[in-house]
Amino acid sequence: EQKGFDMLVDVAKIVLKRNPDWKWNIVGEGEDKELLTEKIRKCGLEKQLNICGNVNSIEEYYKKSALYVLTSRYEGFGLVLTEAKSFNLPCVSFQCPAGPAEIIKDSVNGYLINCFDIEAMAEKICNLIEDKDLRIRFSEHALDDTEKFSLSKVCKQWEVLFEELER
């Protein structure tokens, strides 16, 4: 429910119909796998939309991908977005509470979509698929504004917090 894979299938139905030579992988699995598999089948997307299940080497999927899509209804910190960006992937995400807006610079290294706007998300993904130069430009800026998540910055924030708590 949290990850919004039901909405991902709705987005994929639009995107993959418009781009029949593209494939989409869902990496991981959860309690709704059977429902999701059935929805994919009903949409006729079995040959393009694949549930890979849990994998040992997520890095291999990032390396082979052209972009990353997050359809979550809510997130804590968007770790998967920072991982995807570390592989220079443009990211498209719903602007759900917490996470994505801190990580994605809209129209610079990805797109932030109003929550649960399936058509808008599909359109932005299609823009990236159909415009290789745009994908490359977003990839070149994938790491923009990520220094705030560096180990040294985060450690400094913890140090300040501990110092305040000591006082």
Side-chain angles (χ1 to χ4, degrees):
E1 178 71 15
Q2 174 191 352
K3 296 301 180 185
F5 288 142
D6 55 324
M7 293 183 290
L8 183 144
V9 176
D10 295 332
V11 171
K13 184 176 178 182
I14 298 166
V15 170
L16 296 174
K17 181 178 180 183
R18 194 161 137 186
N19 298 279
D21 55 328
W22 276 66
K23 301 227 182 290
W24 193 325
N25 289 317
I26 300 172
V27 179
E29 64 181 69
E31 66 275 358
D32 293 335
K33 182 179 179 183
E34 294 306 317
L35 292 171
L36 196 58
T37 301
E38 180 61 17
K39 185 170 184 174
I40 290 168
R41 189 192 63 71
K42 284 182 179 177
C43 292
L45 297 172
E46 310 94 321
K47 292 186 171 141
Q48 288 177 277
L49 183 55
N50 181 41
I51 301 175
C52 302
N54 293 326
V55 299
N56 290 326
S57 183
I58 187 69
E59 299 83 11
E60 295 308 312
Y61 286 86
Y62 285 130
K63 288 176 187 175
K64 294 177 184 176
S65 297
L67 55 110
Y68 184 83
V69 176
L70 185 76
T71 54
S72 292
R73 288 179 167 83
Y74 57 93
E75 282 289 324
F77 178 76
L79 182 59
V80 292
L81 288 174
T82 57
E83 286 177 345
K85 287 178 70 170
S86 75
F87 287 89
N88 297 319
L89 292 175
C91 296
V92 181
S93 174
F94 288 134
Q95 195 167 346
C96 63
E102 296 176 58
I103 299 166
I104 297 173
K105 290 182 78 172
D106 190 41
S107 300
V108 173
N109 55 25
Y111 289 118
L112 292 167
I113 311 299
N114 288 335
C115 284
F116 324 130
D117 188 338
I118 303 295
E119 291 78 17
M121 179 173 271
E123 185 61 31
K124 292 299 187 181
I125 294 168
C126 287
N127 289 349
L128 284 166
I129 288 173
E130 296 161 6
D131 187 343
K132 186 176 181 181
D133 291 337
L134 179 63
R135 277 198 324 272
I136 290 169
R137 189 170 71 244
F138 278 19
S139 291
E140 290 170 346
H141 292 279
L143 298 178
D144 288 7
D145 200 34
T146 57
E147 66 278 350
K148 63 187 172 193
F149 304 122
S150 72
L151 183 59
S152 62
K153 291 256 185 188
V154 173
C155 285
K156 185 65 181 162
Q157 290 173 339
W158 278 106
E159 287 174 16
V160 168
L161 176 63
F162 289 140
E163 287 169 6
E164 288 175 6
L165 290 173
E166 271 186 338
R167 284 187 241 134

